[in-house]
Amino acid sequence: MSILAIGASIGTFIENDFGNIRARELIYNAFWYNLTLLLTSLNILFVAYDKKMYLFKIKTMFHLSFVLIFVGAGITYYFGIEGMMNIRENNQSNIIISGEQEIELPFFIKLKDFTLIRYPGSRSPSEFSSDVVLIDEKNNIKFDTKIYMNNTLTYNGYKFFQTSYDMDELGTKLTVNYDPGLEITYIAYFFLFLGLILNLFDKNSRFQKLISKIKKMPIASIIFTFLLIFPQTNLIANDKNNEYITKYLIDYRENSKKIANKFGELIVQDSMGRMKPLDTQNKEVLNKLTGKDIWNGLNANQVMLSILSRPSLWKKVNLIKIGRDDIKFLLGMKNSQNLARFDDFFDINGNYRLSDEVHKANIKDIGLRNNFEREIIKIDERLNIFFMSYKGKLLTIFPLKNNKRKKWADLKTMFLEIKESPLKRATANFLDGIYNRNYKNSFKHINIIKDYQYKVGGDIIPDINRLKAEIYFNEISIFVKLSIIYLAMGLVLLIYAVISIFYNKLINKNIYKISFFIMSGLFIIHTVSILLRWYIGGYAPISNTYETMVYISYIAIISGLFLSKKSLISLSGSLLIAGIFMFLAYLQDVNPQITNLVPVLKSYWLSIHVSVITASYGFFAFGATLGFITLVLIIINNSNNKIKNQIKTITYINEVSLILGLTLLVIGNFLGSIWANESWGRYWGWDPKETWAYISIIVYVMVIHIRFFKKLYNPFIFSSLSLVSFLSILMTYFGVNFYLAGMHSYAKGDPIPIPLSVYIFLSVIILTISMAYIKQSKEKNEKI
């Protein structure tokens, strides 16, 4: 299993540098790797027989399912067919291109019509489909059907999947798949899922035995104090010397909020075609520019409205986030400054100061860019966003009449192309009113714009309740507040738990009940917030990095509520990991915006597959946290029996959490295989993301089974492994997206783009494990 994991991990780096085909040649399809898979399957059979696993039906069921999956995969790999069929409109074909081979089918597919539907006002495809005719002259069969994403055509064992299309949109590209191992594979999946689920309820399973041990442990009392304080941290403008700007900003902040929020109620069509409140876009833009939702006491609607009405003033205001000192030097800024003015980017002759650096970075391959070049491109993007903001290019709030693509126009286009004089007058008067600070009279003008939106573009505007819900969701920023509460509670609980170990005091049982009740309330708030985001977006909110991080936090809270009733330390661990993940979603370059889904994601498999696999990350994170806490307790323990009992209890809870995580990860990955096979005709593509998920399964399988090495197994070993193993999850979740591509630059002599926080994190892990090992070795020698 180590060979499988190490080989696959090397394969992801080969795939990244030299392509998927080369990785398959050297690793995944190589004889030695397939031989290792075969030996692993045989090993499962031999060990199952040797340990008399057949006496336990449920264990036998899910262990032997892996062998059956291997058999089905072998049949598919050696006897199946996978290729591509390209057909132009009003033409037919029976030829599959598979690698360098042309395979002729005994029937034809004729393309009557190809249809591509885009999101309103966007070039992004919403869905595409092929109206085809299947013609089997030999059997005198002919029928019409439609092929589109997640809806296939099946005939004589062949499956046709909608994959892509020709650039001129007059031809379709279908993936064709013949899979003789399908039935065996799906039967194996069924028994795997059934066995893993039943294993959680089987009284003879390791899971149930651990639960029984935890129930026998003494109940740990809980008390906590937390502060619901959310100070409004405002950025202070560095333009105090400019008296006019300072006075304007103070007056504007105090008097413009109502009209600015009314401005935020207008509907905007974003670049992906999503219809949303302007409030949402304003918040996204301000966050992009400054990294904050509020600037100097002004909310996003106030800032963006003022930029639109007074662009010359805002060019002199510090608004664009700059993180690197070397870039600050190029702009003539002080190292202490974190925000730059628009004017800082240009010299006295109007030349763009970063022009050469931006050009060098853009012509360089994405994977070859170093940290400086990536940051230069991000700053250039922020500058362009500011430029588009004051030019009104982002203000696509004006629907165009009789536009086939249902496109909405920006400010400049509206004045040039839309003939309605009342709309033009209302828009001009509205901007004049904001410029002259005549806010009260501006309401009537913005109402005219809003009426025009519903009159001309009302057919694609979302329901009014959904729009109001989105504005409310933006306003409360519930996930930020929850992250602060989780972190504060977790930290207080952890400190109290450690102190309570040394001071053996009886705590009123009612304190635990009150604490658990409050945490349950927070869980309900978290649940409602996720459901609200689901309602706003119209899809399960687990389709991007930000949403899955919020979901992982949610699962961490669930694990704490249901697994930590006997351990205060475990409860604090679940709170801390929930708070950390939610907080990281805001600290990192993770986009919280609600977006449209690409066609392949418009599938019920998305909700099932992603939610299950992401839930496993929450349990693994919980286990890693418990592992770290256990190691700390080992370090500070001085033959204290109470600490030893805590270590034992936490280790049991840790193992339960990892078993749940592994169960979900396995089920989630194979659900992903079903999704992939039903969507585009392949179970597995050795994509780095799915490969690292496969590696994580292998890693955690080894951790769960380490207990069979009885001379080696102890709380120190298990806790260390549960902590270190989480690195495979972090690589799956973050590393593939944010780091793996940057490895290209290492070959060119540039430093590997690893953030300082990663080095600190790894150093803490190594130091903690080393100190725990030294402490345990010392105690062992003393006993001898």
Side-chain angles (χ1 to χ4, degrees):
M1 297 195 81
S2 297
I3 292 172
L4 290 175
I6 294 170
S9 64
I10 294 172
T12 61
F13 289 92
I14 294 175
E15 194 269 352
N16 189 65
D17 290 341
F18 304 103
N20 189 271
I21 295 176
R22 189 59 174 160
R24 287 173 182 265
E25 290 175 355
L26 296 177
I27 306 289
Y28 309 131
N29 292 349
F31 172 77
W32 68 269
Y33 200 80
N34 286 320
L35 177 62
T36 308
L37 283 168
L38 175 62
L39 291 175
T40 303
S41 299
L42 294 175
N43 190 61
I44 292 174
L45 290 173
F46 292 138
V47 173
Y49 177 79
D50 183 60
K51 299 298 180 183
K52 295 182 172 56
M53 191 183 290
Y54 50 82
L55 297 176
F56 305 95
K57 294 179 181 178
I58 294 175
K59 283 184 182 178
T60 304
M61 183 189 299
F62 71 81
H63 278 87
L64 296 190
S65 294
F66 287 104
V67 180
L68 194 59
I69 289 171
F70 182 79
V71 172
I75 293 172
T76 298
Y77 180 74
Y78 289 105
F79 302 102
I81 297 172
E82 182 178 349
M84 187 72 69
M85 179 180 285
N86 192 190
I87 319 172
R88 300 288 290 175
E89 284 188 350
N90 300 315
N91 286 291
Q92 63 184 35
S93 175
N94 69 334
I95 302 298
I96 303 173
I97 305 299
S98 179
E100 298 181 355
Q101 287 184 309
E102 286 192 3
I103 300 172
E104 189 174 324
L105 299 181
F107 55 88
F108 288 85
I109 301 292
K110 180 180 179 181
L111 178 63
K112 292 168 56 180
D113 183 46
F114 176 77
T115 304
L116 174 64
I117 300 174
R118 302 183 188 276
Y119 285 108
S122 169
R123 299 297 296 170
S124 301
S126 171
E127 56 184 82
F128 42 89
S129 60
S130 301
D131 289 305
V132 301
V133 182
L134 186 141
I135 305 169
D136 186 349
E137 296 177 349
K138 183 178 180 181
N139 296 306
N140 196 28
I141 295 174
K142 183 178 181 180
F143 60 86
D144 294 357
T145 189
K146 195 170 190 174
I147 305 172
Y148 53 91
M149 195 62 69
N150 303 313
N151 187 75
T152 61
L153 164 64
T154 303
Y155 184 75
N156 275 5
Y158 291 91
K159 275 191 173 184
F160 296 82
F161 305 83
Q162 182 66 67
T163 303
S164 186
Y165 51 89
D166 294 340
M167 294 299 293
D168 60 3
E169 302 175 17
L170 295 175
T172 189
K173 294 181 180 179
L174 305 175
T175 297
V176 186
N177 177 269
Y178 176 74
D179 183 5
L182 177 70
E183 289 78 10
I184 294 175
T185 301
Y186 277 13
I187 290 171
Y189 285 175
F190 171 77
F191 284 114
L192 175 64
F193 297 164
L194 181 63
L196 286 172
I197 293 170
L198 291 178
N199 179 63
L200 300 178
F201 302 96
D202 180 16
K203 63 181 181 180
N204 294 316
S205 69
R206 174 69 174 174
F207 182 82
Q208 282 297 327
K209 288 177 181 178
L210 288 168
I211 294 294
S212 298
K213 288 181 179 181
I214 293 170
K215 287 180 179 179
K216 294 175 183 177
M217 293 291 174
I219 297 176
S221 299
I222 296 181
I223 186 173
F224 63 78
T225 306
F226 66 92
L227 301 175
L228 188 59
I229 300 175
F230 305 105
Q232 188 177 2
T233 55
N234 299 327
L235 298 175
I236 300 175
N238 292 320
D239 294 281
K240 292 181 179 179
N241 293 330
N242 191 323
E243 188 176 345
Y244 174 76
I245 292 178
T246 304
K247 286 183 177 180
Y248 165 78
L249 290 175
I250 293 173
D251 177 76
Y252 182 76
R253 179 173 58 199
E254 294 175 352
N255 299 307
S256 67
K257 193 168 185 179
K258 288 184 179 180
I259 187 64
N261 289 342
K262 189 71 176 177
F263 174 66
E265 292 178 7
L266 293 174
I267 314 303
V268 66
Q269 185 183 75
D270 70 11
S271 59
M272 292 292 292
R274 179 173 180 256
M275 311 305 297
K276 59 189 180 184
L278 188 56
D279 177 272
T280 299
Q281 178 168 287
N282 289 340
K283 192 171 183 179
E284 291 166 359
V285 171
L286 183 62
N287 196 284
K288 194 76 158 177
L289 292 173
T290 67
K292 304 288 182 181
D293 295 333
I294 292 176
W295 180 91
N296 201 28
L298 301 175
N299 66 31
N301 292 324
Q302 288 176 295
V303 172
M304 302 317 298
L305 180 57
S306 185
I307 288 175
L308 191 66
S309 61
R310 288 177 174 263
S312 299
L313 182 148
W314 282 90
K315 289 180 183 179
K316 296 175 171 56
V317 173
N318 295 308
L319 197 70
I320 302 172
K321 182 175 67 174
I322 309 292
R324 292 178 63 104
D325 290 344
D326 46 4
I327 299 178
K328 292 177 185 178
F329 176 78
L330 293 174
L331 297 175
M333 296 170 58
K334 297 178 181 178
N335 288 346
S336 58
Q337 286 181 256
N338 294 320
L339 298 174
R341 301 175 302 172
F342 180 84
D343 288 349
D344 289 334
F345 289 85
F346 304 93
D347 60 22
I348 56 175
N349 297 318
N351 298 314
Y352 183 26
R353 296 179 189 270
L354 303 181
S355 177
D356 292 341
E357 285 74 14
V358 170
H359 176 70
K360 291 175 184 177
N362 279 321
I363 63 174
K364 203 171 185 180
D365 186 88
I366 294 175
L368 299 177
R369 292 171 186 162
N370 57 32
N371 286 335
F372 173 82
E373 290 160 340
R374 283 193 291 272
E375 187 63 23
I376 278 285
I377 290 174
K378 288 180 182 178
I379 291 171
D380 182 66
E381 180 192 16
R382 290 178 200 134
L383 183 70
N384 280 287
I385 288 173
F386 180 86
F387 176 80
M388 289 189 290
S389 296
Y390 82 72
K391 286 287 186 180
K393 290 183 177 292
L394 297 178
L395 205 67
T396 48
I397 62 174
F398 305 101
L400 296 171
K401 281 187 176 181
N402 304 319
N403 187 278
K404 293 182 180 180
R405 291 170 51 199
K406 299 185 183 297
K407 186 175 178 60
W408 287 31
D410 60 24
L411 194 63
K412 182 180 179 180
T413 306
M414 184 274 292
F415 280 112
L416 291 175
E417 296 186 13
I418 295 179
K419 297 180 180 179
E420 279 76 0
S421 297
L423 175 66
K424 293 181 179 180
R425 281 198 302 271
T427 305
N429 290 335
F430 172 69
L431 293 176
D432 287 341
I434 300 301
Y435 180 85
N436 294 313
R437 292 183 253 185
N438 190 2
Y439 305 126
K440 289 184 179 180
N441 291 332
S442 298
F443 283 94
K444 61 183 179 182
H445 303 306
I446 206 168
N447 286 332
I448 293 173
I449 298 173
K450 192 171 185 178
D451 291 341
Y452 175 81
Q453 287 188 324
Y454 278 88
K455 179 182 176 183
V456 179
D459 58 327
I460 61 172
I461 293 178
D463 178 71
I464 185 67
N465 292 322
R466 182 172 290 184
L467 294 170
K468 288 181 178 179
E470 185 164 350
I471 292 174
Y472 175 73
F473 187 80
N474 294 337
E475 183 181 351
I476 61 177
S477 299
I478 187 62
F479 291 131
V480 178
K481 295 175 181 176
L482 280 175
S483 69
I484 296 172
I485 295 174
Y486 288 153
L487 287 171
M489 284 179 59
L491 186 61
V492 171
L493 280 174
L494 182 60
I495 293 172
Y496 173 80
V498 173
I499 293 174
S500 67
I501 292 173
F502 294 98
Y503 296 94
N504 190 12
K505 294 182 179 181
L506 293 175
I507 304 297
N508 193 318
K509 291 182 179 180
N510 290 329
I511 295 176
Y512 174 84
K513 293 179 181 179
I514 294 171
S515 305
F516 191 82
F517 175 77
I518 294 175
M519 187 172 174
S520 299
L522 293 172
F523 166 73
I524 292 171
I525 293 172
H526 200 147
T527 303
V528 172
S529 301
I530 289 176
L531 292 175
L532 181 59
R533 189 174 173 98
W534 190 334
Y535 171 68
I536 292 167
Y539 63 90
I542 42 175
S543 65
N544 57 46
T545 304
Y546 171 81
E547 291 174 343
T548 53
M549 290 180 82
V550 170
Y551 185 64
I552 289 173
S553 300
Y554 182 66
I555 296 301
I557 293 300
I558 292 176
S559 65
L561 286 172
F562 291 96
L563 300 180
S564 301
K565 293 181 181 180
K566 302 292 181 179
S567 174
L568 176 60
I569 294 179
S570 300
L571 192 66
S572 67
S574 69
L575 285 165
L576 286 171
I577 201 66
I580 288 169
F581 265 90
M582 289 183 72
F583 207 64
L584 282 174
Y586 285 90
L587 291 180
Q588 302 299 322
D589 291 326
V590 178
N591 198 338
Q593 69 184 45
I594 302 168
T595 57
N596 290 316
L597 294 177
V598 295
V600 73
L601 296 181
K602 291 184 175 180
S603 166
Y604 58 87
W605 289 112
L606 168 70
S607 302
I608 301 172
H609 158 62
V610 180
S611 61
V612 171
I613 201 171
T614 309
S616 72
Y617 297 166
F619 286 105
F620 289 136
F622 183 48
T625 305
L626 295 183
F628 178 78
I629 292 172
T630 302
L631 294 173
V632 173
L633 291 178
I634 291 173
I635 294 169
I636 65 175
N637 184 25
N638 290 312
S639 301
N640 186 321
N641 288 329
K642 191 173 182 181
I643 295 180
K644 288 181 180 179
N645 289 333
Q646 285 284 347
I647 289 172
K648 191 180 293 185
T649 303
I650 295 171
T651 303
Y652 291 154
I653 296 173
N654 191 352
E655 190 173 348
V656 166
S657 184
L658 295 193
I659 290 173
L660 283 171
L662 184 59
T663 299
L664 291 171
L665 184 61
V666 171
I667 292 175
N669 268 276
F670 284 103
L671 282 173
S673 296
I674 295 173
W675 176 31
N677 192 47
E678 295 299 318
S679 295
W680 52 79
R682 65 158 178 82
Y683 301 93
W684 198 263
W686 294 109
D687 171 83
K689 191 84 170 177
E690 62 189 17
T691 302
W692 271 100
Y694 154 73
I695 294 167
S696 297
I697 290 176
I698 296 174
V699 168
Y700 278 100
V701 164
M702 291 192 287
V703 173
I704 291 297
H705 291 81
I706 195 70
R707 69 181 189 276
F708 292 111
F709 294 88
K710 297 189 184 298
K711 292 183 179 180
L712 180 65
Y713 179 77
N714 57 51
F716 164 74
I717 292 294
F718 186 81
S719 299
S720 299
L721 290 175
S722 68
L723 179 58
V724 172
S725 298
F726 191 62
L727 295 175
S728 68
I729 297 296
L730 292 178
M731 184 65 186
T732 305
Y733 192 69
F734 291 109
V736 172
N737 291 340
F738 301 114
Y739 170 66
L740 194 58
M743 287 297 293
H744 283 297
S745 60
Y746 184 62
K748 300 294 182 180
D750 293 329
I752 302 176
I754 302 177
L756 179 62
S757 57
V758 174
Y759 288 112
I760 295 173
F761 177 68
L762 293 175
S763 299
V764 169
I765 291 177
I766 295 169
L767 182 62
T768 305
I769 293 175
S770 300
M771 291 176 67
Y773 174 75
I774 292 169
K775 184 62 179 291
Q776 182 169 273
S777 299
K778 184 179 178 182
E779 289 181 357
K780 187 176 180 181
N781 291 332
E782 287 174 353
K783 287 181 181 179
I784 294 173

